Amino acid sequence: MPLQLPRTPGCEIAGRIAAVGSNGGAWQAGDRVAVQSNLWCGRCEYCSRGEESQCLNNVILGVQRDGGFAEAVVVPVGALVKLPENVAFETSAALTLAGSTAMHMLTHRAQVKAGDWVLVMAGASGVGSAAIQIARQLGARVISTGSTEAKRALAKRLGAEFVADPANEAWTAEIRKVTGRRGVDLVIEHVGGAAFEQVFNCLARGGTVVTCGATAGRQVSLDLWPFFVKEQRLVGSYGRNRADLNATLDWAAAGKLKPVIDRTFALSDAAEAHTYVAGRNQFGKVILLPEH
């Protein structure tokens, strides 16, 4: 993805409208809003059927245009979503990207039935912590992974019945044992690399892997023979649709989905926050707060 520098990053934004342009419609200064980070064109065939995540002209706020690491940011009016009164700005900032990504994976790209076994990779992460909660609310039995004892404990507090250590060579066998050697019905995978390859060892016949990330590596291998013999599915998931973001905020307002916020930093300490996240010691999300 070509990037033009300088660029102000920041995809997950919540705040009050400071001013509205000539095409602002019913929006007014002072309205509390969340911002959808994947900006869509509204003209292509995918946008016309409500699939903004597949927009042919998709632009990511904070990547291809300036984002939210600032006191003020300009966004298209179509990216605004009303923030429920009982949802704090910090809650919205922690859920509008990671939470809605998980919502898109679990309710749009896959369907979860009550009693299904769902494996959520990296349960202490933003996507993982939301996915555990959403899957549980949908009636699933959840298993997760965590690289430290503290992260595994957090995943259990969020609702996972069993949490494996991915550094243990036998972790996939442990998960099959927990499910009575059957395997899981659905894997929420957002890591990539070796983890992506290993999750198929946990998958039941007819099961589905939904993947939305490749931070641990883009190039992977897949053993096709068991994949098609067991009639398994591999589904890609990217971003979210407006319906997913609305559902995420509605669930937050109803107390069904709660963000895991590790720490907050002042906006001027953004570099320190990035260093903290790079250390992989955080549990859930890290929030930047403007200083006015």
Side-chain angles (χ1 to χ4, degrees):
M1 182 184 297
L3 300 177
Q4 291 185 332
L5 300 179
R7 171 69 67 234
T8 301
C11 301
E12 300 168 280
I13 306 167
R16 294 186 184 275
I17 294 178
V20 182
S22 58
N23 296 319
W27 294 107
Q28 297 181 356
D31 286 347
R32 302 173 73 251
V33 294
V35 179
Q36 185 169 340
S37 58
N38 56 307
L39 308 179
W40 67 97
C41 70
R43 301 182 302 275
C44 70
E45 61 175 299
Y46 301 101
C47 288
S48 66
R49 58 182 189 232
E51 298 285 359
E52 296 99 353
S53 63
Q54 299 177 25
C55 174
L56 293 174
N57 305 295
N58 201 333
V59 172
I60 303 174
L61 191 64
V63 178
Q64 291 141 304
R65 62 179 290 170
D66 287 341
F69 285 17
E71 288 83 3
V73 58
V74 177
V75 301
V77 69
L80 298 177
V81 176
K82 182 177 176 58
L83 193 60
E85 285 301 322
N86 64 333
V87 175
F89 292 131
E90 292 86 350
T91 296
S92 176
L95 289 175
T96 49
L97 190 149
S100 62
T101 295
M103 186 70 73
H104 187 67
M105 297 173 81
L106 282 156
T107 64
H108 188 75
R109 301 300 291 156
Q111 287 73 47
V112 177
K113 304 185 300 296
D116 281 354
W117 281 104
V118 176
L119 168 61
V120 176
M121 299 298 291
S125 66
V127 171
S129 60
I132 291 173
Q133 296 177 72
I134 295 169
R136 282 297 305 271
Q137 287 287 343
L138 295 172
R141 302 183 69 180
V142 180
I143 298 172
S144 190
T145 65
S147 59
T148 67
E149 183 57 42
K151 291 182 178 181
R152 292 190 287 273
L154 172 59
K156 286 185 177 179
R157 290 198 301 272
L158 292 171
E161 296 184 28
F162 175 78
V163 186
D165 180 356
N168 181 350
E169 293 183 357
W171 77 270
T172 59
E174 291 178 340
I175 287 176
R176 295 199 73 90
K177 183 178 179 180
V178 170
T179 61
R181 301 186 66 181
R182 174 183 176 276
V184 300
D185 300 285
L186 175 65
V187 179
I188 299 299
E189 203 290 308
H190 53 103
V191 180
F196 171 88
E197 299 173 2
Q198 292 168 330
V199 298
F200 287 91
N201 296 328
C202 307
L203 196 60
R205 291 178 178 270
T208 301
V209 174
V210 180
T211 183
C212 75
T215 52
R218 297 185 179 190
Q219 302 300 319
V220 296
S221 62
L222 175 64
D223 188 347
L224 282 178
W225 179 265
F227 179 73
F228 67 74
V229 167
K230 296 180 180 180
E231 295 193 334
Q232 296 168 335
R233 299 176 181 86
L234 174 60
V235 178
S237 184
Y238 184 67
R240 75 235 17 99
N241 298 330
R242 192 175 186 84
D244 302 310
L245 181 51
N246 281 322
T248 299
L249 294 175
D250 287 345
W251 281 39
K256 296 165 60 179
L257 178 58
K258 299 178 181 180
V260 177
I261 299 176
D262 180 277
R263 285 183 63 181
T264 62
F265 287 82
L267 179 60
S268 59
D269 295 326
E272 180 184 348
H274 272 276
T275 300
Y276 179 71
V277 170
R280 299 185 61 198
N281 295 313
Q282 87 276 9
F283 301 93
K285 302 295 290 184
V286 172
I287 306 294
L288 293 182
L289 301 177
E291 297 158 65
H292 61 76

